[in-house]
Amino acid sequence: MKRWLPSPLLSLALFVVWLLLNQSLHAATLLLAALLAIVVPLLTQSLRPARVKMRKPLLALRLGGVVAYDLVLSAFTVARLLLTRRGSEMSPRFVRVPLAMRDANALATLAMILCLTPGTAWGEIALDRSTLLIHVFDEDDAAAFIDMIKTRYERPLMEIFES
C-alpha cells in the first residue's frame, strides 16, 4: 500500500481538490482525480522534507491559533495602511532574522507562515540556515519584528519539531 500511496492524506486531498475544482462527479473526472492522487505523490516524494516527528501536538494547535489570529490582524493592518497612507509614508524593508532552529520541517512551516501573512514575504535563507531574510511591507522597528518572529513562531516550532 505504501508503495502506491506513499502519502495517503496528500492523495486524498488531491483527489478532493480536483473534484471541487472541476465541480463534477463524471466518470472521467473521477478517473483523472484518482490518477493524480496516485501519480503526484509518487513523483514528488523526493521533494518532501524528512518525516515529521511532531513532539507536542497541543502546542501545534495553539500555534495554529496564533497564526490564524496573526493572519487576520495582518490583513486588516495592511488594508488600513494601503487605504490611509501614501507610498512615501510607508517603510518597507528587508529584515535579517537570526535563526536558532535547523529542522527542515520547522523551517518549511515558518516559510508557509511568513508567506501567508499579508505584509511579509520570505526572501532567502542562509546556506547554513542561520539567518533568514524577510521582506516586510511596513516596519519601523526591526528589532521588535525579529523578537516577534522568534517568540511567536520560532520558539514554538522548535518545541514542536526539535525538542
Side-chain angles (χ1 to χ4, degrees):
M1 181 75 170
K2 277 283 193 194
R3 183 174 170 208
W4 289 102
L5 291 174
S7 182
L9 291 177
L10 176 60
S11 295
L12 177 65
L14 287 169
F15 185 84
V16 170
V17 167
W18 187 259
L19 293 179
L20 290 172
L21 286 172
N22 285 285
Q23 297 180 355
S24 169
L25 292 176
H26 190 270
T29 305
L30 290 168
L31 181 64
L32 189 54
L35 183 66
L36 287 172
I38 292 170
V39 171
V40 170
L42 287 173
L43 292 176
T44 61
Q45 190 171 8
S46 64
L47 300 175
R48 282 181 244 131
R51 291 250 180 240
V52 177
K53 293 178 181 136
M54 193 178 308
R55 305 215 176 9
K56 296 185 179 180
L58 292 177
L59 180 58
L61 287 173
R62 191 173 133 254
L63 177 62
V66 168
V67 170
Y69 173 80
D70 288 350
L71 292 177
V72 172
L73 183 65
S74 183
F76 282 118
T77 302
V78 169
R80 181 181 48 80
L81 289 173
L82 287 172
L83 293 172
T84 61
R85 285 195 188 172
R86 294 183 177 164
S88 61
E89 296 171 347
M90 290 187 225
S91 54
R93 66 177 56 180
F94 284 95
V95 177
R96 292 196 183 279
V97 179
L99 294 175
M101 69 179 168
R102 299 290 186 266
D103 182 79
N105 292 305
L107 289 168
T109 304
L110 181 61
M112 288 185 283
I113 292 169
L114 293 174
C115 288
L116 286 173
T117 304
T120 62
W122 176 288
E124 70 178 2
I125 188 164
L127 291 175
D128 63 355
R129 297 180 180 178
S130 64
T131 308
L132 171 64
L133 182 68
I134 302 172
H135 183 267
V136 185
F137 178 70
D138 183 50
E139 185 59 55
D140 293 324
D141 190 357
F145 178 77
I146 291 169
D147 186 55
M148 186 270 301
I149 294 294
K150 294 187 81 52
T151 56
R152 289 183 73 84
Y153 304 134
E154 185 184 33
R155 191 171 299 137
L157 286 170
M158 287 175 67
E159 287 184 43
I160 294 166
F161 291 104
E162 294 181 357
S163 328

